[in-house]
Amino acid sequence: MVKVIASSVRKGNVLEVDGHLCSVLSAESFFPGKGTPTTQIDMRRISDGVKVTQRYKTTEQVERAYVEDRDYTYLYQDGEQYVFMNPETYDQIPVDSDVVGDMAAYLQEGMKVSLSVFEDKAVAIELPQRITLEVVETEPVTKGQTASSSYKPAILSNGVRSAVPPHIGVGTRIVVMTADGSYVERAKD
């Protein structure tokens, strides 16, 4: 175990809290005008899946569990589990759907991901920051609206809703952020 300050904790880290391993879902620091800066960490206990929220002073020490981050390739979904393969050893590892969570919508066959592995069990997943998807449903292109700051709703090929600029039409491939599904740019392929 390694001690780190609470403000340096990021999503996907694994902490040991009260003897339980917890995967960090989100970490947010608050800096009020008066008073002590705090960091609120939302976590999921790995053993039973219970969500836990803790608040720490930003300089307080927390126990970070030693997990090994390894690169894997996504293969397929098998019921409630997602199967990944180690590209060097070709070993396959099943990952529970509660570990993948809402990232499941962005998984694509052959995608390279980083899995945090603790005692041969995946406890957290990190996808590439950006992926390319196709717009399957949106309002028609509006003539003359090329530099408008207003975005229109769109449904992407993975079923996720996003907001796209007015000049993007159905069939256009776009790059989105996997963290929140937000539009980045038109794909260059």
Side-chain angles (χ1 to χ4, degrees):
M1 300 291 171
V2 182
K3 286 205 179 268
V4 295
I5 60 170
S7 61
S8 69
V9 174
R10 298 285 172 258
K11 179 179 178 176
N13 290 165
V14 177
L15 304 179
E16 185 176 311
V17 181
D18 303 327
H20 295 283
L21 285 181
C22 298
S23 175
V24 175
L25 302 173
S26 68
E28 192 174 1
S29 293
F30 299 97
F31 300 96
K34 283 184 175 171
T36 310
T38 59
T39 299
Q40 179 173 318
I41 303 175
D42 294 331
M43 302 170 275
R44 174 175 278 123
R45 276 203 305 249
I46 293 167
S47 57
D48 54 11
V50 173
K51 276 190 176 178
V52 182
T53 300
Q54 294 270 357
R55 192 168 276 206
Y56 300 96
K57 292 178 185 161
T58 52
T59 56
E60 204 173 325
Q61 302 272 318
V62 293
E63 293 270 336
R64 188 165 167 198
Y66 179 73
V67 293
E68 195 176 345
D69 290 333
R70 296 186 204 147
D71 290 332
Y72 281 84
T73 305
Y74 174 63
L75 295 177
Y76 58 90
Q77 182 179 359
D78 183 22
E80 287 290 304
Q81 295 192 317
Y82 296 83
V83 181
F84 295 85
M85 178 185 70
N86 183 326
E88 289 149 24
T89 63
Y90 301 107
D91 291 339
Q92 293 185 5
I93 182 172
V95 179
D96 291 331
S97 57
D98 59 335
V99 173
V100 176
D102 52 6
M103 298 286 180
Y106 298 103
L107 281 176
Q108 296 172 336
E109 210 171 291
M111 176 185 275
K112 298 205 178 320
V113 301
S114 176
L115 290 179
S116 298
V117 180
F118 182 79
E119 294 178 354
D120 293 327
K121 186 176 193 273
V123 293
I125 183 170
E126 192 175 318
L127 298 185
Q129 282 190 316
R130 301 170 174 207
I131 63 166
T132 303
L133 294 167
E134 188 176 321
V135 175
V136 293
E137 190 181 310
T138 188
E139 297 166 12
V141 175
T142 314
K143 288 263 187 259
Q145 275 206 300
T146 53
S148 172
S149 62
S150 63
Y151 278 49
K152 62 184 183 180
I155 297 177
L156 307 176
S157 56
N158 63 350
V160 171
R161 292 182 174 276
S162 186
V164 298
H167 65 274
I168 299 291
V170 173
T172 307
R173 290 175 49 78
I174 62 170
V175 177
V176 296
M177 297 296 284
T178 54
D180 57 5
S182 60
Y183 172 86
V184 177
E185 62 186 1
R186 183 181 240 153
K188 299 195 174 26
D189 51 11

